[in-house]
Amino acid sequence: MEPEMEIVHLLRAVAVELGLHSARFANRNGMHPTDVRALIVLMDADRAGEEMTTGRLGGALGLNSAGTTALVDRLERAGHVRRVRSEGDRRRVVVEVDQRAVALGQDFFGPLIGRAVELLQGYDDRELAAVRGFLDGVREAAAEG
């Protein structure tokens, strides 16, 4: 097998394992897999300093308005998110992840994240740039549909 195809198949295997890991987290915490994806989208937005409305969240997850509302309602009832007024426009409501949900995720995903960071620390700057470029390119290709 060509080395490029080996890497593509390895990436597929990694995606499957990460999906299974995420499903175990969802199952253990009484969540739907979409709930976990929503929390990831919300945490990524928070890290980027961006406010996330239900409309933007639905768009990021490929959900319609009713599905997004049901999702946020479910996460809010479970104490994982809260709806708050936007800092910039008090008329707008944004969704934020509760720190308890962050801690729950850290407890479960922390060891995996730590292992990934440990592996990456073994690469030099040029190798890290290559890994980043490859993963970003695959992500962009997948996002294009």
Side-chain angles (χ1 to χ4, degrees):
M1 183 183 303
E2 296 175 23
E4 295 86 358
M5 286 307 296
E6 276 186 59
I7 292 171
V8 167
H9 287 295
L10 183 57
L11 179 62
R12 177 197 39 81
V14 168
V16 168
E17 289 301 326
L18 289 173
L20 291 171
H21 195 68
S22 183
R24 286 189 294 272
F25 173 79
N27 206 19
R28 180 178 291 177
N29 293 288
M31 294 180 182
H32 187 276
T34 304
D35 298 350
V36 179
R37 287 195 305 274
L39 291 173
I40 291 167
V41 168
L42 290 166
M43 286 188 285
D44 287 348
D46 184 57
R47 255 190 308 280
E50 300 171 356
E51 292 184 331
M52 184 64 68
T53 63
T54 55
R56 281 192 60 217
L57 179 61
L61 297 170
L63 297 175
N64 63 25
S65 180
T68 305
T69 298
L71 166 73
V72 173
D73 287 347
R74 184 171 60 245
L75 289 172
E76 192 172 41
R77 279 192 307 275
H80 299 308
V81 302
R82 62 187 166 279
R83 290 175 170 102
V84 298
R85 295 280 172 198
S86 167
E87 291 292 323
D89 181 352
R90 302 295 294 163
R91 297 169 296 177
R92 199 169 72 165
V93 175
V94 296
V95 183
E96 295 180 347
V97 176
D98 188 276
Q99 287 306 307
R100 292 171 294 183
V102 173
L104 189 68
Q106 182 61 39
D107 286 345
F108 187 85
F109 291 102
L112 175 60
I113 293 167
R115 180 70 175 120
V117 168
E118 184 180 299
L119 290 167
L120 288 168
Q121 288 170 341
Y123 293 97
D124 64 31
D125 289 344
R126 191 175 66 73
E127 292 168 323
L128 289 172
V131 170
R132 185 180 299 109
F134 172 72
L135 292 175
D136 197 41
V138 171
R139 183 194 52 77
E140 286 175 7
E144 290 170 3

